[in-house]
């Protein structure tokens, strides 16, 4: 599928991921550095340039957490993020990963993006963005306060 969209997906080292793109999805450099340690990282490349990134890390027996997925601004809205995450989900499933979890804001395009790919809301973490970020995390002129935890069972 990726080839039809004009890009390829591969697993890469965390050091090769562009910081600007990672910080687009998560504005806390401290948080990004923390979850990059030991992470499984994937990139979508077009014409030898990274146009999308995806970062997961182990959280338990057979489960991974999706910590970051981002697409370069000039490639957004063209299916790169969806194809990248589908590729990662399929790969994880084939490797015996039983579940992928993630946290996201309670509103915005990200929530619909994850739900379109089969993730379901499981709980709310009140005040997460207030407690874990030094600066307000804003979207559409609204400050994120609470986090939704979503999960996708792969079995």
């Amino acid at each position: 599928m990726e080839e039809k969209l004009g890009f390829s997906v591969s697993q890469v080292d965390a050091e090769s991921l562009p910081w600007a793109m990672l910080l687009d999805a998560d504005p806390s450099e401290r948080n990004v550095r923390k979850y990059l340690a030991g992470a499984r990282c994937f990139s979508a490349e077009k014409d030898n340039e990274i146009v999308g990134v995806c970062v997961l890390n182990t959280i338990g027996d057979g489960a991974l957490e999706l910590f970051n997925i981002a697409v370069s601004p000039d490639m957004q809205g063209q299916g790169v993020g969806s194809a990248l995450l589908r590729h990662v989900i399929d790969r994880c499933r084939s490797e015996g990963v039983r579940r992928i979890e993630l946290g996201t804001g309670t509103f915005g395009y990200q929530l619909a993006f994850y739900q379109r790919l089969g993730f379901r809301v499981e709980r709310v973490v009140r005040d997460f963005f207030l407690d874990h970020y030094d600066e307000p995390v804003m979207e559409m002129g609204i400050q994120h306060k609470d986090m939704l935890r979503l999960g996708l069972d792969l079995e």
Side-chain angles (χ1 to χ4, degrees):
M1 177 192 324
E2 298 85 35
E3 291 73 27
K4 290 180 194 172
L5 295 172
F7 66 91
S8 60
V9 176
S10 57
Q11 190 164 348
V12 297
D13 292 327
E15 298 80 35
S16 69
L17 299 178
W19 270 94
M21 204 175 296
L22 292 169
L23 293 173
D24 241 8
D26 185 339
S28 170
E29 184 175 335
R30 180 188 67 217
N31 289 349
V32 173
R33 288 191 187 284
K34 186 176 175 183
Y35 59 68
L36 277 181
R40 295 185 64 188
C41 304
F42 297 85
S43 69
E45 292 187 25
K46 179 177 183 172
D47 300 326
N48 295 317
E49 182 180 335
I50 294 177
V51 296
V53 298
C54 184
V55 178
L56 304 102
N57 215 325
T58 303
I59 56 169
D61 183 34
L64 297 175
E65 181 163 355
L66 173 64
F67 281 98
N68 194 311
I69 185 163
V71 173
S72 62
D74 60 323
M75 293 294 293
Q76 290 178 3
Q78 299 181 41
V80 174
S82 296
L84 173 58
L85 188 50
R86 279 190 192 98
H87 176 94
V88 169
I89 290 168
D90 290 344
R91 182 162 177 175
C92 289
R93 183 179 283 121
S94 73
E95 293 173 357
V97 173
R98 65 173 184 76
R99 180 173 173 75
I100 298 175
E101 299 178 14
L102 63 90
T104 193
T106 57
F107 62 90
Y109 70 91
Q110 301 93 335
L111 181 57
F113 169 76
Y114 294 125
Q115 289 177 319
R116 276 194 302 272
L117 291 168
F119 286 86
R120 296 188 61 184
V121 175
E122 297 179 341
R123 65 184 168 97
V124 176
V125 181
R126 290 185 56 83
D127 296 330
F128 179 87
F129 292 100
L130 300 176
D131 295 341
H132 293 90
Y133 287 83
D134 297 330
E135 301 289 325
V137 177
M138 304 294 292
E139 184 176 351
M140 301 178 336
I142 304 168
Q143 182 177 3
H144 280 285
K145 295 178 182 174
D146 305 322
M147 173 198 278
L148 292 180
R149 295 293 302 174
L150 285 74
L152 175 66
D153 292 321
L154 302 182
E155 299 177 318

